[in-house]
Amino acid sequence: MATTSDQEFWSNHARSTLGPLLSLAGTYSASDQASHLQFFDEHVASRLGSQLIQPKLEYWASPDLAGTRFEVSLNLTTRGKPKVRLSFDLLRDGTSPDTFGENNAREMLHSLCSATGGDPRLMDHLMEAFWLSPSETEALRDKVRPHMQIPPACIAFELEGHRQILKAYIPVVRKAAALGKPTAGLISNALRGLDPLGYDLSYNLDLLDEYLASRQDEANPVMIGIDCLDPKTNQGSRVKVYVHLKTCTFATARDVITLGGRLSGETIVKKLNNLRSIWHLLLNEPDGIPDDKLDTWSKQERAPGAAFSGVLFSVDLAAGKKMPDIKIYVPVFQYAEHTETSYKNSNAVLKAVGHEWGQTGRFDEVATAVL
């Protein structure tokens, strides 16, 4: 936990990043902004640990690698207003009896769930499924410490008006290592037990299981993300399966977005066409990539093998929806050496898909002002 001086440091730091982003997003009233900063002071600052650390490179995306303990982000869509998000990883020291920090994480997640008026039942189900028993912790303690620096959970808040909606992300890799089993089977078994909580995911899970079985050596599911809400009263509440692939090519992207051809239709075609039109910008190739090379075009990463490498996808399994929604996360910092380059490319991406913030240059203005 942080000391008083650490808490003051993070509270001040939030007012130089989170504060301006809330103001410039154009979505939040003055009272909304004050509410979110007060929430940060009361519930987040004390959980961020020691003060600023030295960044390992000039430009990174991950909070710890970039020299901070939390990150702010902006969700931009053509279907609604901008939303600000705040996230951080739960810390662990590896020396206490709570070796992997799971007991502390459980207490913290329940406290934050209560503070945000969330529903802990799905979170409890996943913690029971993916966190270690005492015997598993003991067996894994010395084996993985040097190699598996994975937080017990990651936490995010979507800021809606004056409300904070808690999101929890539970890694699956450590449990798989303890049991010596693939992550895909553990995830499928855990998610098929969610019916009593209002989630009927069987059809979507059948599709995902088939796809992962066909890509066992390529696609590695690593984490589950959830909205800590009651799906029976919050339609659209999601369970997200995060899948990592080492190869960042358009062919890989198309394969996952269609789940190997299992998803099709107008929406999928539109998504792929949009992605095709901006793929070169995500890889920092502003002059474009020849059409005949697009599928297999790959680019040397700045930090190969880092936690944020290759490409990450999320398979969104929303309560009440019969088809999963696939999202892609490209680590653009791997291909651009300077923040200014990423801002410029991101603005161009938004412009290409018809977003107002790209057409007016608003994204570049806000990113430069805040960061």
Side-chain angles (χ1 to χ4, degrees):
M1 299 292 283
T3 65
T4 301
S5 61
D6 290 328
Q7 293 181 46
E8 293 175 351
F9 174 86
W10 291 121
S11 291
N12 291 332
H13 188 51
R15 280 156 179 77
S16 69
T17 51
L18 176 60
L21 188 57
L22 287 168
S23 176
L24 293 169
T27 304
Y28 304 93
S29 68
S31 61
D32 291 340
Q33 296 173 46
S35 172
H36 294 313
L37 289 172
Q38 181 179 355
F39 179 86
F40 183 96
D41 292 344
E42 295 177 354
H43 300 287
V44 178
S46 64
R47 295 181 162 99
L48 293 178
S50 60
Q51 297 181 23
L52 204 64
I53 56 177
Q54 288 298 315
K56 298 175 177 64
L57 280 183
E58 176 186 353
Y59 168 44
W60 283 90
S62 167
D64 281 345
L65 297 177
T68 184
R69 294 293 188 196
F70 72 93
E71 65 180 11
V72 293
S73 59
L74 191 63
N75 180 22
L76 296 174
T77 173
T78 56
R79 300 185 299 274
K81 295 181 178 180
K83 294 180 183 179
V84 174
R85 291 176 176 173
L86 165 70
S87 60
F88 64 98
D89 293 348
L90 294 184
L91 303 175
R92 65 181 183 87
D93 60 22
T95 60
S96 69
D98 187 16
T99 304
F100 298 114
E102 292 176 348
N103 293 335
N104 177 62
R106 191 187 307 273
E107 295 176 5
M108 192 178 299
L109 281 166
H110 278 116
S111 174
L112 291 171
C113 196
S114 176
T116 57
D119 187 320
R121 290 175 297 167
L122 177 55
M123 181 177 70
D124 287 338
H125 176 88
L126 296 179
M127 288 190 292
E128 179 67 24
F130 299 131
W131 283 359
L132 304 183
S133 67
S135 61
E136 290 166 347
T137 297
E138 185 64 29
L140 208 58
R141 188 195 315 269
D142 295 326
K143 179 180 178 182
V144 305
R145 188 180 299 145
H147 309 295
M148 197 179 287
Q149 300 300 322
I150 300 172
C154 308
I155 290 174
F157 303 96
E158 185 167 287
L159 308 183
E160 289 256 17
H162 67 280
R163 298 175 59 216
Q164 301 85 27
I165 298 176
L166 177 65
K167 299 173 180 288
Y169 302 85
I170 311 294
V172 185
V173 178
R174 189 180 295 113
K175 184 72 169 184
L179 297 179
K181 295 181 178 181
T183 56
L186 297 179
I187 287 173
S188 181
N189 289 338
L191 296 187
R192 289 182 187 278
L194 297 181
D195 285 9
L197 300 183
Y199 287 89
D200 179 8
L201 306 179
S202 55
Y203 176 75
N204 287 327
L205 284 172
D206 287 344
L207 290 175
L208 180 58
D209 285 350
E210 289 175 10
Y211 175 72
L212 293 176
S214 71
R215 299 289 188 273
Q216 290 185 34
D217 298 328
E218 305 165 50
N220 182 31
V222 295
M223 183 170 65
I224 300 294
I226 60 169
D227 299 325
C228 296
L229 298 170
D230 181 354
K232 294 180 180 178
T233 56
N234 294 272
Q235 286 298 314
S237 179
R238 299 166 300 168
V239 176
K240 303 172 75 171
V241 181
Y242 288 85
V243 181
H244 178 258
L245 292 97
K246 295 180 180 179
T247 304
C248 185
T249 66
F250 186 76
T252 298
R254 181 176 57 238
D255 186 67
V256 180
I257 287 173
T258 64
L259 290 183
R262 292 168 179 83
L263 301 181
S264 60
E266 183 180 346
T267 300
I268 297 296
V269 170
K270 182 178 180 180
K271 181 179 292 189
L272 287 172
N273 287 339
N274 282 338
L275 185 59
R276 178 183 291 273
S277 72
I278 63 174
W279 189 255
H280 63 291
L281 296 168
L282 300 177
L283 299 188
N284 191 28
E285 294 287 347
D287 295 330
I289 300 172
D291 287 343
D292 61 343
K293 296 181 179 179
L294 181 66
D295 271 9
T296 57
W297 185 280
S298 62
K299 192 168 183 178
Q300 178 66 41
E301 295 181 328
R302 294 171 62 216
F308 290 82
S309 63
V311 65
L312 188 71
F313 292 84
S314 68
V315 182
D316 288 23
L317 311 172
K321 292 189 177 181
K322 293 299 183 182
M323 296 294 284
D325 184 24
I326 315 293
K327 295 185 175 71
I328 179 173
Y329 303 83
V330 176
V332 295
F333 78 100
Q334 288 278 18
Y335 309 110
E337 294 184 0
H338 305 288
T339 54
E340 294 81 3
T341 303
S342 286
Y343 296 164
K344 181 179 178 180
N345 289 341
S346 297
N347 202 99
V349 165
L350 292 170
K351 183 177 181 179
V353 299
H355 196 286
E356 179 186 1
W357 277 43
Q359 295 169 338
T360 63
R362 177 69 172 166
F363 175 84
D364 193 33
E365 294 173 3
V366 171
T368 301
V370 172
L371 303 174

PDB file of all heavy atoms in Angstrom, residues 34 38 57 104 119 126 151 164-165 189 273 290 310 314 318 340 344:
ATOM      1  N   ALA A  34     -15.517  16.405 -10.736  1.00  0.00           N
ATOM      2  CA  ALA A  34     -15.142  16.461  -9.323  1.00  0.00           C
ATOM      3  C   ALA A  34     -15.405  15.125  -8.641  1.00  0.00           C
ATOM      4  O   ALA A  34     -14.614  14.662  -7.806  1.00  0.00           O
ATOM      5  CB  ALA A  34     -15.905  17.582  -8.615  1.00  0.00           C
ATOM      6  N   GLN A  38     -12.556  12.826  -6.834  1.00  0.00           N
ATOM      7  CA  GLN A  38     -12.731  12.449  -5.426  1.00  0.00           C
ATOM      8  C   GLN A  38     -12.680  10.941  -5.260  1.00  0.00           C
ATOM      9  O   GLN A  38     -12.059  10.424  -4.311  1.00  0.00           O
ATOM     10  CB  GLN A  38     -14.054  12.993  -4.895  1.00  0.00           C
ATOM     11  CG  GLN A  38     -14.292  12.666  -3.414  1.00  0.00           C
ATOM     12  CD  GLN A  38     -15.609  13.241  -2.898  1.00  0.00           C
ATOM     13  OE1 GLN A  38     -16.305  13.962  -3.610  1.00  0.00           O
ATOM     14  NE2 GLN A  38     -15.958  12.907  -1.667  1.00  0.00           N
ATOM     15  N   LEU A  57      12.069   2.947 -21.586  1.00  0.00           N
ATOM     16  CA  LEU A  57      12.308   3.508 -22.912  1.00  0.00           C
ATOM     17  C   LEU A  57      11.587   4.836 -22.980  1.00  0.00           C
ATOM     18  O   LEU A  57      10.753   5.163 -22.132  1.00  0.00           O
ATOM     19  CB  LEU A  57      11.784   2.578 -24.017  1.00  0.00           C
ATOM     20  CG  LEU A  57      12.649   1.383 -24.416  1.00  0.00           C
ATOM     21  CD1 LEU A  57      11.978   0.639 -25.561  1.00  0.00           C
ATOM     22  CD2 LEU A  57      14.045   1.797 -24.842  1.00  0.00           C
ATOM     23  N   ASN A 104      -4.922 -10.363  -1.037  1.00  0.00           N
ATOM     24  CA  ASN A 104      -5.047  -8.910  -1.013  1.00  0.00           C
ATOM     25  C   ASN A 104      -5.940  -8.427  -2.151  1.00  0.00           C
ATOM     26  O   ASN A 104      -6.764  -7.520  -1.978  1.00  0.00           O
ATOM     27  CB  ASN A 104      -3.661  -8.275  -1.134  1.00  0.00           C
ATOM     28  CG  ASN A 104      -3.726  -6.765  -1.201  1.00  0.00           C
ATOM     29  OD1 ASN A 104      -4.179  -6.109  -0.281  1.00  0.00           O
ATOM     30  ND2 ASN A 104      -3.259  -6.199  -2.313  1.00  0.00           N
ATOM     31  N   ASP A 119     -21.832  -5.600  -8.699  1.00  0.00           N
ATOM     32  CA  ASP A 119     -22.302  -6.944  -8.349  1.00  0.00           C
ATOM     33  C   ASP A 119     -21.086  -7.867  -8.329  1.00  0.00           C
ATOM     34  O   ASP A 119     -20.425  -8.045  -9.358  1.00  0.00           O
ATOM     35  CB  ASP A 119     -23.313  -7.421  -9.386  1.00  0.00           C
ATOM     36  CG  ASP A 119     -23.970  -8.750  -9.003  1.00  0.00           C
ATOM     37  OD1 ASP A 119     -23.259  -9.628  -8.481  1.00  0.00           O
ATOM     38  OD2 ASP A 119     -25.177  -8.909  -9.249  1.00  0.00           O
ATOM     39  N   LEU A 126     -15.167 -16.248 -10.942  1.00  0.00           N
ATOM     40  CA  LEU A 126     -13.915 -16.327 -11.690  1.00  0.00           C
ATOM     41  C   LEU A 126     -12.704 -16.410 -10.763  1.00  0.00           C
ATOM     42  O   LEU A 126     -11.725 -17.098 -11.079  1.00  0.00           O
ATOM     43  CB  LEU A 126     -13.795 -15.133 -12.628  1.00  0.00           C
ATOM     44  CG  LEU A 126     -14.851 -15.065 -13.729  1.00  0.00           C
ATOM     45  CD1 LEU A 126     -14.651 -13.837 -14.594  1.00  0.00           C
ATOM     46  CD2 LEU A 126     -14.846 -16.337 -14.585  1.00  0.00           C
ATOM     47  N   PRO A 151       0.220  -9.795 -12.494  1.00  0.00           N
ATOM     48  CA  PRO A 151      -0.579  -9.345 -11.352  1.00  0.00           C
ATOM     49  C   PRO A 151      -1.742 -10.300 -11.111  1.00  0.00           C
ATOM     50  O   PRO A 151      -2.211 -10.963 -12.051  1.00  0.00           O
ATOM     51  CB  PRO A 151      -1.079  -7.962 -11.796  1.00  0.00           C
ATOM     52  CG  PRO A 151      -1.073  -8.026 -13.281  1.00  0.00           C
ATOM     53  CD  PRO A 151       0.096  -8.895 -13.641  1.00  0.00           C
ATOM     54  N   GLN A 164     -18.888   5.400 -11.523  1.00  0.00           N
ATOM     55  CA  GLN A 164     -17.727   4.593 -11.884  1.00  0.00           C
ATOM     56  C   GLN A 164     -18.186   3.143 -11.993  1.00  0.00           C
ATOM     57  O   GLN A 164     -18.702   2.579 -11.018  1.00  0.00           O
ATOM     58  CB  GLN A 164     -16.611   4.706 -10.828  1.00  0.00           C
ATOM     59  CG  GLN A 164     -16.099   6.120 -10.583  1.00  0.00           C
ATOM     60  CD  GLN A 164     -16.946   6.886  -9.579  1.00  0.00           C
ATOM     61  OE1 GLN A 164     -17.583   6.297  -8.699  1.00  0.00           O
ATOM     62  NE2 GLN A 164     -16.973   8.204  -9.683  1.00  0.00           N
ATOM     63  N   ILE A 165     -18.030   2.547 -13.155  1.00  0.00           N
ATOM     64  CA  ILE A 165     -18.420   1.153 -13.373  1.00  0.00           C
ATOM     65  C   ILE A 165     -17.162   0.290 -13.308  1.00  0.00           C
ATOM     66  O   ILE A 165     -16.230   0.467 -14.087  1.00  0.00           O
ATOM     67  CB  ILE A 165     -19.125   0.975 -14.727  1.00  0.00           C
ATOM     68  CG1 ILE A 165     -20.412   1.812 -14.745  1.00  0.00           C
ATOM     69  CG2 ILE A 165     -19.423  -0.502 -14.985  1.00  0.00           C
ATOM     70  CD1 ILE A 165     -21.137   1.789 -16.074  1.00  0.00           C
ATOM     71  N   ASN A 189     -14.560 -24.208 -19.274  1.00  0.00           N
ATOM     72  CA  ASN A 189     -15.244 -24.838 -18.139  1.00  0.00           C
ATOM     73  C   ASN A 189     -15.809 -23.798 -17.178  1.00  0.00           C
ATOM     74  O   ASN A 189     -16.928 -23.937 -16.669  1.00  0.00           O
ATOM     75  CB  ASN A 189     -14.286 -25.774 -17.400  1.00  0.00           C
ATOM     76  CG  ASN A 189     -13.962 -27.018 -18.198  1.00  0.00           C
ATOM     77  OD1 ASN A 189     -14.708 -27.412 -19.093  1.00  0.00           O
ATOM     78  ND2 ASN A 189     -12.837 -27.644 -17.887  1.00  0.00           N
ATOM     79  N   ASN A 273     -13.311  -4.381 -43.699  1.00  0.00           N
ATOM     80  CA  ASN A 273     -12.977  -3.308 -44.638  1.00  0.00           C
ATOM     81  C   ASN A 273     -12.437  -2.087 -43.911  1.00  0.00           C
ATOM     82  O   ASN A 273     -11.482  -1.442 -44.367  1.00  0.00           O
ATOM     83  CB  ASN A 273     -14.212  -2.934 -45.469  1.00  0.00           C
ATOM     84  CG  ASN A 273     -14.550  -3.983 -46.509  1.00  0.00           C
ATOM     85  OD1 ASN A 273     -13.701  -4.790 -46.888  1.00  0.00           O
ATOM     86  ND2 ASN A 273     -15.794  -3.992 -46.974  1.00  0.00           N
ATOM     87  N   PRO A 290       1.412  -2.214 -49.984  1.00  0.00           N
ATOM     88  CA  PRO A 290       0.862  -2.729 -51.249  1.00  0.00           C
ATOM     89  C   PRO A 290      -0.212  -3.788 -51.001  1.00  0.00           C
ATOM     90  O   PRO A 290      -0.082  -4.628 -50.099  1.00  0.00           O
ATOM     91  CB  PRO A 290       2.092  -3.339 -51.950  1.00  0.00           C
ATOM     92  CG  PRO A 290       3.256  -2.607 -51.352  1.00  0.00           C
ATOM     93  CD  PRO A 290       2.881  -2.318 -49.929  1.00  0.00           C
ATOM     94  N   GLY A 310       3.099  -8.782 -30.378  1.00  0.00           N
ATOM     95  CA  GLY A 310       2.171  -9.525 -31.205  1.00  0.00           C
ATOM     96  C   GLY A 310       0.880  -8.749 -31.371  1.00  0.00           C
ATOM     97  O   GLY A 310       0.881  -7.554 -31.659  1.00  0.00           O
ATOM     98  N   SER A 314     -10.032  -9.426 -28.165  1.00  0.00           N
ATOM     99  CA  SER A 314     -11.016  -9.778 -27.141  1.00  0.00           C
ATOM    100  C   SER A 314     -12.254 -10.317 -27.836  1.00  0.00           C
ATOM    101  O   SER A 314     -12.699  -9.790 -28.863  1.00  0.00           O
ATOM    102  CB  SER A 314     -11.388  -8.577 -26.267  1.00  0.00           C
ATOM    103  OG  SER A 314     -12.119  -7.610 -27.002  1.00  0.00           O
ATOM    104  N   ALA A 318     -21.597 -11.015 -24.715  1.00  0.00           N
ATOM    105  CA  ALA A 318     -22.548 -10.183 -23.984  1.00  0.00           C
ATOM    106  C   ALA A 318     -23.801 -10.972 -23.643  1.00  0.00           C
ATOM    107  O   ALA A 318     -24.289 -11.774 -24.440  1.00  0.00           O
ATOM    108  CB  ALA A 318     -22.917  -8.948 -24.812  1.00  0.00           C
ATOM    109  N   GLU A 340       4.419  11.496 -30.466  1.00  0.00           N
ATOM    110  CA  GLU A 340       3.834  12.372 -31.477  1.00  0.00           C
ATOM    111  C   GLU A 340       3.429  11.586 -32.727  1.00  0.00           C
ATOM    112  O   GLU A 340       2.411  11.878 -33.359  1.00  0.00           O
ATOM    113  CB  GLU A 340       4.808  13.488 -31.847  1.00  0.00           C
ATOM    114  CG  GLU A 340       5.109  14.469 -30.720  1.00  0.00           C
ATOM    115  CD  GLU A 340       6.152  13.945 -29.745  1.00  0.00           C
ATOM    116  OE1 GLU A 340       6.686  12.821 -29.984  1.00  0.00           O
ATOM    117  OE2 GLU A 340       6.420  14.636 -28.745  1.00  0.00           O
ATOM    118  N   LYS A 344      -0.382  11.289 -34.281  1.00  0.00           N
ATOM    119  CA  LYS A 344      -0.680  11.617 -35.672  1.00  0.00           C
ATOM    120  C   LYS A 344      -1.363  10.448 -36.374  1.00  0.00           C
ATOM    121  O   LYS A 344      -2.364  10.619 -37.073  1.00  0.00           O
ATOM    122  CB  LYS A 344       0.616  11.988 -36.394  1.00  0.00           C
ATOM    123  CG  LYS A 344       0.430  12.364 -37.854  1.00  0.00           C
ATOM    124  CD  LYS A 344       1.761  12.735 -38.492  1.00  0.00           C
ATOM    125  CE  LYS A 344       1.595  13.072 -39.974  1.00  0.00           C
ATOM    126  NZ  LYS A 344       2.904  13.432 -40.600  1.00  0.00           N
TER     127      LYS A 344
END
